[in-house]
Amino acid sequence: MNNDYFLSALAILSQRPHLIERLFITKEYNSEGVYRVRLCNGGHWQIVTIDDLFPCEPKGGPIFSGCSDNELWVLILEKAYAKLFGSYYLLNGGYVNEAMLDLTGCPSSSFNLKDDYVKESMAGGQFWELMKYW
């Protein structure tokens, strides 16, 4: 199972904690083990409700992703994302910019750094100016 694209999008968003925080409707540890998050699917925000029972390896660690310091936010978002799309296994393979859309509701673009146009704009400094603008 490869959902590195989703985890990469989470890593990008973690640099701006307010973008992660706004995904959570349930913002504190919940003794009932029920969490609600907002995810954007097809341009529409949807509320996804999950429990805190995560698939684990036989020796106890989470199968798909994990966090340090007993944080749950990555596991909760990953499980909600899997529920939104049908299962953890249906998350196999994707693009970071698509996961960013699902997590932010904002359209995004990707660039192939090997394209001639991109190489030329990088050499001339226009690409960097565009990145700063965005």
Side-chain angles (χ1 to χ4, degrees):
M1 218 278 301
N2 180 359
N3 69 350
D4 292 346
Y5 69 98
F6 176 72
L7 297 176
S8 294
L10 285 182
I12 292 166
L13 286 184
S14 72
Q15 300 302 305
R16 296 181 182 224
H18 70 279
L19 294 177
I20 297 287
E21 185 178 338
R22 74 181 192 159
L23 295 173
F24 284 87
I25 295 168
T26 308
K27 296 187 183 282
E28 300 293 329
Y29 168 76
N30 184 323
S31 61
E32 288 82 30
V34 177
Y35 296 90
R36 296 179 79 200
V37 298
R38 296 173 358 122
L39 296 170
C40 187
N41 185 15
H44 301 284
W45 286 99
Q46 297 180 354
I47 295 173
V48 181
T49 304
I50 61 150
D51 59 37
D52 63 0
L53 300 174
F54 303 105
C56 291
E57 298 283 351
K59 295 191 180 192
I63 291 176
F64 300 108
S65 67
C67 276
S68 60
D69 301 326
N70 293 323
E71 294 176 340
L72 290 176
W73 69 273
V74 171
L75 294 169
I76 289 170
L77 288 175
E78 182 185 41
K79 185 170 184 175
Y81 199 63
K83 183 175 182 179
L84 185 66
F85 289 100
S87 75
Y88 283 98
Y89 289 101
L90 291 176
L91 299 182
N92 192 26
Y95 296 97
V96 174
N97 64 313
E98 292 172 356
M100 290 293 287
L101 174 62
D102 297 334
L103 294 168
T104 65
C106 298
S108 62
S109 297
S110 63
F111 295 92
N112 183 340
L113 299 180
K114 294 180 182 178
D115 285 347
D116 289 336
Y117 169 77
V118 174
K119 285 181 182 179
E120 289 170 17
S121 64
M122 288 172 63
Q126 298 92 346
F127 193 77
W128 177 245
E129 292 302 317
L130 188 60
M131 294 293 114
K132 289 191 311 185
Y133 173 76
W134 284 334

